[in-house]
Amino acid sequence: MRQFVVLAHELSASASIGLGDLPGTGRLDLLCRCVTSALLVSHDVREDARIDLVIDGYVVRFDGGSVRRLNPDERSTAALIRDALAERSEAVGAIPATVSPGVSVRRGDLEGTLERLDGTLVELHAEGRPIAEEKPPADPVFVLSDHRDLTDAEAGLLSARADRRASLGPRALHADQAITVAHNYLDTDGFGRY
Amino acid sequence: MRQFVVLAHELSASASIGLGDLPGTGRLDLLCRCVTSALLVSHDVREDARIDLVIDGYVVRFDGGSVRRLNPDERSTAALIRDALAERSEAVGAIPATVSPGVSVRRGDLEGTLERLDGTLVELHAEGRPIAEEKPPADPVFVLSDHRDLTDAEAGLLSARADRRASLGPRALHADQAITVAHNYLDTDGFGRY
């Protein structure tokens, strides 16, 4: 299983989400691209992948193994996120509410999300070792931020729990681009054999 | 210089381009994501990159060295492509018309585009050798298709002219994902040093 966690810093769970201005709605455009990068390839879904969007005390999960009707464009994915957030009051305690096949919402933050995830936590960091220097773990978890840096608290939490610290290259990438590169690293057994 | 050429198969140059349904407008969503992948990284522009979108007898070029006001979301990029196609009658012969800084439109097709481009033409192909097996060329040109396969004529033209045939991995990627991986390959000197 490949897992991605993306932290949204500007989107409110109670935001009024129109679909005409996604960047102006807490950079929802960026979150949508992350979902596409995490779960879709050409004419296919990555069934062994899932992505958690941590949004203002809630976690919207897209699971590649069960998602249906996921298209690559930003707008249709934004509608799915909007619908998930609209159902957030249905999520009681730690129990997620399923919104549509493969899409759910639950209460949660970064700390709770990391506690729930099994796997090798890879911290992507500009000062990490080039990721190609080590072979991929079997069940990696990558945590990414939106267009804003991690807060000090988030960065501290991640550093404390990370199993590896790695860098994807010399350029700081968009979160969705980082997901695409991470998938390619995994697909090719560390940019090598396949 | 890094150059990308993306072939659009469903978008008409004379299409009425609203911004509310980009997938329904010849998969304009996909072309927009390709522009973002080719030219933008986190809070920065790749000044050494450009991308040509070959659309129904016209070529819309985005040049990273001179583009302004390019945002990562699909909708704002779609507006730039719409505006470029609207000015296509200003492109006379082989002379491009500049639409806004770094965005131009000219008459052209794949064959003419390949003739104009200097560099090492890398054909991305499922049956190519893993791209990591060779170091990157100095001035690579990558040709990609939208969601449709290349036509036989396009594939023949590309094979005849390609300097290398390479594969990015075992999964067929979206065109914009392929651009992101190709950039990472170049950024890291072949997924290695940086």
Side-chain angles (χ1 to χ4, degrees), chain A residues 20 23 29 33 40-44 72-75 130 132 147 167-172 174 177 181 184 187 191 194, chain B residues 20 23 29 33 40-44 72-75 130 132 147 167-172 174 177 181 184 187 191 194:
Chain A
D29 62 311
R33 289 195 299 280
L40 298 182
V41 288
S42 185
H43 306 293
D44 207 359
D73 68 297
E74 292 169 8
R75 187 183 167 102
H147 61 300
S167 141
L168 294 176
R171 303 286 310 237
H174 290 170
Q177 295 171 338
V181 172
N184 188 253
D187 289 343
F191 302 122
Y194 55 90
Chain B
D29 63 311
R33 289 195 299 280
L40 298 182
V41 288
S42 185
H43 306 293
D44 208 357
D73 68 297
E74 293 169 7
R75 187 183 168 101
H147 61 300
S167 140
L168 295 176
R171 304 285 311 238
H174 290 170
Q177 295 171 338
V181 172
N184 189 252
D187 288 343
F191 302 121
Y194 55 88

Side-chain angles (χ1 to χ4, degrees), chain A residues 43-65:
Chain A
H43 306 293
D44 207 359
V45 178
R46 290 187 183 270
E47 295 185 2
D48 64 337
R50 61 187 180 199
I51 180 168
D52 284 346
L53 308 175
V54 181
I55 302 169
D56 186 23
Y58 293 88
V59 180
V60 177
R61 168 171 288 184
F62 286 76
D63 190 316

Side-chain angles (χ1 to χ4, degrees), chain A residues 5 16 21 52 62 65 76 86 89 93 125 138 141 147-148 154 160 172 180:
Chain A
V5 179
S16 170
D21 180 16
D52 284 346
F62 286 76
S76 63
S89 64
H125 195 287
V141 180
H147 61 300
R148 300 259 293 269
E154 289 164 348
T180 296

